[in-house]
């Protein structure tokens, strides 16, 4: 194992070194040696953590959940690190830069989802589950059927999330480090395989904790510098932004980003309830000892995430105030030239020169690595624990074989992530993040919520209702302007909205309810009778450490 770890390490650095030898590789951007140095320090530190974590990841419990030995505070920071992706940092700042106040709808939607997780899911989730969110659903329902739909929907979320992260990594490094797109994607894929295959959840957790602390420290410094340059006068600060922006005072008002109420409500639903259905986030509740620590995890995560999104608001308006009109970003033709979603990192250059630019660039890349590692371990557990062990092998599989399948799945996901990242180069993949949240809100969240709180839920309701919701949300996204027009090239979209959750989420709830309500099978009676035992465990936590599918 150690030889493989060093082999993968040398592969990643060999790719980086090869790019350094090829001067044409840097034609896409100027090298920032401080940024590259920060990136290498982060990689070396996290690979050292992976090396020492490998001894704690030999068993299924150690690999999937770090043995349940992560504290509530540590897990809360790790959840925040897993959730604060590069899309959150670069994307939301870019939206605020372009649309002003209205760009914060993503930040508000992401944040509001966490009280839902805290009050409805976290504690009961920890009491009922063991490794994956499918364990909760399979507690009283027929394991094979519900694990199949849970794994499919979970993997759908993970794949679309992976695409966005890999393409984001390629674009970021292409602009900031001077590496070509393909090199960046390959490096991220190799490092992801290293972190997850050898370090499991323990290494992934500490990678996310380190990344969260670096990101929060960096954005805090940027926000303080913005306020310092504004004389800590908010009126002057906003006046500078209004005077610089082409939309003027309209940037302080809603209505500049989403064109209609249906789109606004639909996106809000996806972001709010999708958070409670993201498999790589839900999996983190099994890394703590008990429900009390799970509740603490969400408390800390909510505070840190809320603080982070307040800072993205400050940084977004700071970019308007200090980038627009800045002669360093105006070309000879008098045009303002900043690559999309690069406002935050270029603002760092204005605020702190190449040093701060290098730090923020390296942190943004570290952010992608941490999120991709969390996605990979969640996807690998769905393939090995849910599909292979409990569906294909009826739960009868020795631990050594399960771990081999898990690590093989991780390598497969890493290769798939590289292929998808390369295949989607140059494409507008903003819709993939929205699609991931839409699937989570339309399939995972209704199943989880009804399973925990509704005694009449049945296996057939979950299976067929989940399939209806999944097909609906995928079909509506394919028929939307984001895909039908922008990707497939048709003139007009069949479905007029880019965000389908307002249609697909209620349909999933109705389908699951109706099928369960009219299910008269023998299995349906068993499913309903099992609710009392499930609810007792969910409320009391008795037997939580042995929460396995019946």
């Amino acid at each position: 194992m150690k030889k493989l770890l060093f082999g993968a390490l040398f592969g990643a650095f060999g790719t980086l070194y090869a790019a350094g030898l090829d001067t044409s590789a840097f034609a896409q951007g100027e090298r920032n040696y401080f940024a590259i140095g920060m990136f290498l320090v982060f990689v070396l530190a996290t690979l050292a953590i992976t090396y020492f974590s490998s001894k704690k990841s030999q068993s299924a419990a150690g690999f999937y959940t770090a043995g349940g030995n992560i504290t509530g505070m540590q897990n809360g920071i790790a959840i925040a690190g897993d959730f604060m992706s590069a899309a959150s940092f670069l994307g939301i700042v870019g939206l605020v830069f372009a649309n002003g106040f209205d760009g914060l709808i993503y930040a508000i939607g992401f944040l509001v989802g966490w009280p839902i997780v805290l009050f409805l899911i976290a504690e009961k989730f920890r009491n009922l589950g063991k490794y994956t969110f499918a364990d909760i659903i399979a507690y009283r329902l027929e394991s094979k059927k519900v694990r199949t739909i849970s794994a499919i929907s979970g993997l759908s979320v993970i794949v679309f999330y992976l695409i966005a992260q890999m393409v984001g990594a390629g674009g970021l490094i292409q602009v900031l480090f001077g590496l070509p797109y393909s090199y960046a994607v390959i490096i991220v894929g190799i490092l992801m395989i290293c972190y997850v295959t050898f370090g499991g959840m323990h290494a992934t957790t500490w990678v996310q904790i380190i990344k969260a602390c670096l990101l929060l420290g960096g954005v805090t410094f940027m926000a303080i510098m913005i306020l310092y340059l504004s004389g800590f006068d908010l009126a002057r600060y906003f006046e500078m932004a209004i005077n610089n922006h082409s939309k003027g005072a309209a940037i302080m008002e809603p209505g500049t980003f989403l064109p209609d109420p249906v789109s606004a409500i639909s996106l809000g639903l996806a972001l709010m309830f999708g958070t409670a259905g993201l498999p790589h986030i839900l999996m983190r509740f099994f890394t703590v000892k008990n429900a009390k620590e799970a509740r603490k995890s969400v408390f800390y995560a909510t505070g840190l995430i809320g603080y982070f999104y307040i800072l993205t608001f400050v940084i977004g308006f700071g970019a308007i105030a200090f980038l627009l009109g800045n002669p360093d970003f105006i070309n000879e033709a008098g045009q303002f030239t900043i690559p999309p979603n690069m406002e935050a990192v270029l603002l760092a250059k204005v605020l702190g020169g190449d040093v701060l630019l290098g730090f923020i660039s390296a942190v943004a890349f570290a952010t992608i690595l941490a999120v991709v590692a969390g996605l990979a371990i969640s996807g690998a557990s769905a393939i090995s624990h849910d599909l292979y062990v409990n569906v294909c092998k009826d739960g009868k599989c020795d631990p050594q074989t399960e771990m081999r399948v898990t690590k093989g799945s991780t390598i497969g996901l890493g290769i798939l992530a590289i292929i998808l990242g390369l295949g989607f180069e140059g494409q507008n993949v903003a819709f993939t993040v929205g699609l991931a949240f839409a699937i989570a809100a339309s399939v995972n969240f209704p199943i989880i919520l009804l399973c925990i709180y509704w005694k009449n839920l049945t296996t057939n309701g979950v299976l067929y209702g989940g399939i209806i919701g999944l097909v609906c949300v995928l079909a509506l996204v394919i028929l939307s302007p984001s895909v039908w027009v922008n990707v497939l090239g048709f003139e007009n979209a069949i479905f007029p909205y880019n965000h389908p959750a307002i249609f697909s989420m209620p349909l999933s709830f109705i389908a699951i309810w109706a099928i369960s309500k009219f299910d008269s099978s023998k299995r349906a009676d068993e499913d309903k009778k099992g609710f009392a035992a499930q609810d007792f465990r969910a409320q009391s936590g008795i037997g939580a450490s042995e929460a396995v599918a019946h």
Side-chain angles (χ1 to χ4, degrees), residues 197-279:
T197 303
F198 302 105
M201 182 59 85
H202 188 270
T204 300
T205 296
W206 283 101
V207 169
Q208 290 163 346
I209 289 173
I210 294 171
K211 165 257 169 165
C213 294
L214 290 174
L215 180 60
L216 288 171
V219 295
T220 298
F221 180 78
M222 288 182 67
I224 291 173
M225 285 298 297
I226 290 168
L227 296 175
Y228 171 77
L229 293 176
S230 305
F232 292 95
D233 185 347
L234 292 179
R236 178 189 170 198
Y237 166 68
F238 287 117
E239 184 179 352
M240 291 171 62
I242 291 170
N243 291 335
N244 282 350
H245 205 280
S246 60
K247 297 178 182 177
I251 63 171
M252 303 304 296
E253 302 171 358
T256 60
F257 176 48
L258 295 171
D260 56 82
V262 173
S263 296
I265 294 172
S266 190
L267 177 61
L269 287 174
L271 298 179
M272 288 170 56
F273 297 104
T275 301
L278 295 176

Side-chain angles (χ1 to χ4, degrees), residues 401-420:
T401 302
E402 181 177 357
M403 291 307 301
R404 283 196 296 270
V405 173
T406 301
K407 294 184 178 183
S409 301
T410 302
I411 295 171
L413 281 171
I415 295 171
L416 176 63
I418 292 171
I419 293 171
L420 290 173

Side-chain angles (χ1 to χ4, degrees), residues 48 113 123 145-146 183 195 218 237 241 249 273 304 331 374 422 448 466 485:
E123 191 169 337
K145 290 183 178 180
V146 298
Y183 281 65
Y195 292 149
Y237 166 68
F273 297 104
L304 292 173
N331 61 20
L422 296 174
I448 292 170
V485 176

Side-chain angles (χ1 to χ4, degrees), residues 137-138 141-152 387 390-391 459-460 462-464 467 519 521 523:
I137 304 164
L141 306 180
E142 187 178 340
S143 180
K144 281 190 175 182
K145 290 183 178 180
V146 298
R147 285 185 187 276
T148 300
I149 184 61
S150 299
I152 291 172
L387 292 178
N390 288 289
V391 175
T459 298
N460 287 331
V462 169
L463 177 62
Y464 298 112
I467 291 173
D519 188 355
S521 65
R523 177 69 216 190

Side-chain angles (χ1 to χ4, degrees), residues 481-502:
S482 290
V483 179
W484 197 255
V485 176
N486 297 340
V487 177
L488 300 180
F490 291 96
E491 185 175 353
N492 296 307
I494 297 174
F495 178 69
Y497 303 105
N498 285 321
H499 307 288
I502 194 172

Side-chain angles (χ1 to χ4, degrees), residues 425-440:
E425 180 182 3
Q427 293 289 331
N428 178 7
V429 294
F431 70 91
T432 59
V433 174
L435 178 56
F437 273 84
I439 294 173

